[in-house]
Amino acid sequence: MARSGKLLLFLGLWGLAAAQIDPNVCPHKQQGATYKAWSATATWPNGAPDSTVDVTLNDGIYLVDTDVDVKSITVNTNAILVFNDADLSVRTRYILVRGELYLGSENCKLTSNIDITLYGDKGDVAISGFGEKFIGVEGGVLHIHGNPQVSWSKLTKTVHRLKDGQIADVYNDGEKKTSYQGIVMYVWDATSGQLERSEGVYSAGRSIITKSGVQCEADEEAKMFEETLNNVPDGKIIGLALRKQLFRRGNVNYAMFYEIFENFAFGKVTGNSGVRDVRLHDAWSFIMRKGDTSTSQELLLKDDKKILARTAELYHYDNGIKFTARSWVHTIRRGACYSRAKSAKAEIADPKLALADDVSSWKVGDEVVLLSTDYDPKQAEVTTVKQCDDCSANEVRINLEPLFTHFGEIVNGVDMRGEVALLSRNIKIRGAPATNSKTLGGHIKVMRGFKEAQVENAELVNLGQLDTLGNYPFHWHMCGDVTNSYIRGSSIRDSNARCVTVHATNGAVVS
């Protein structure tokens, strides 16, 4: 077979009887079915595919039972691609479905965490009718069925914004528009919650002497970093957060800084702290009560090429006060990157929401959004669900210091209660950031002649392509009359172009 920079992998034999899926049985548990497991050596006579391979499946039932990183996946007419109910990650430029693709079924919702990332830059590929970075259905079957959760509810009590003086909130090293790049230190009084210091403390030697960050400058600033930490009295709350990045030189050894930090944070040189692995576009933060290494927390969020922004945020609770250190880093909007320090009474910084519905399906760590109850849509606030041992089924505690009031009352018979929507789902389909376009997300398109297209309880992130006509997060494209096809119970966020498009199609359900 001729090769031109890529390997095209054909699997199966043409002409065999097509396999079938019993809709009453989980696609990954079909009785009597012969699965070709992605992880099995026998499935790949030419060797397991890697990120350089375009995979074409021709016959049989293929089971995704391991993480996958390939150039593309084409499921031809007599082939079926089934996902196992297990935590899985798939990275590919596109998935073209002419046969059948199953992530669960109507009678078998998947409960594991599955992440499908569509990657690529503008112009990398051009597949007729679909373009690039897509899941496309052309005469085939698409089933995506995630774990059912309550999609949204309404407040039954008003959530009040924090008043002046109820929260201390400082960006960067005291100046919101600072040019400092490196690690910023915050020091609070543990009893009052008052922020006493905020200053840049380490920039890999680029803040002193010649500011070129050579070995002697990096070591000198590491010693200054150590002195600064030692001068903070025991019992104070210390937060460290990376602002933007740490410029490094390949010929400089930063061992002195690493060892100083680890001795301070953990009482010994561990050799495995997260700060050792900080690289461009990573977010990093740390927080502790000075003098008590048992309170130390460190968080490093690596740039996984899946999302544009990373928020490394840590919390310390002391004397009924919540202290927060945050590092926010954006892959493209470099000038917007910031570090941040906050402190507020825990009872108002972690409010409990009273809701109209049973939301016990919302789990700790799930993201939710409190929609605006004002004329300004920018008053919507996104946060996460926290552990709550005293919450009823209709209550949830969130990690949010409300900047805005969210109304939760019925006034004179008019329902003015604000909505709270669940953003997280266990099945995520996302478009990876492109290096040559800010609006080139992924997209899902269903073409005329398809058999079934069902998507429920899925999270669609960074989909849609603003500068390409017809590529939206989810799109039925001129399909005519259809039956048994829907998108429901799903969230669409960070969209680049619309949300759901029903174009010259009748009978499709959006709910």
Side-chain angles (χ1 to χ4, degrees), residues 444-459:
I444 302 173
K445 181 182 284 188
V446 181
M447 303 288 276
R448 188 181 187 92
F450 76 96
K451 297 180 177 67
E452 290 180 346
Q454 300 178 357
V455 176
E456 60 179 333
N457 310 321
E459 180 181 351

Side-chain angles (χ1 to χ4, degrees), residues 122 130-132 440 465-472 497:
K122 188 173 181 62
F130 296 100
E132 53 196 326
L440 184 74
Q465 299 174 357
L466 184 61
D467 51 357
T468 305
L469 182 65
N471 292 348
Y472 314 114

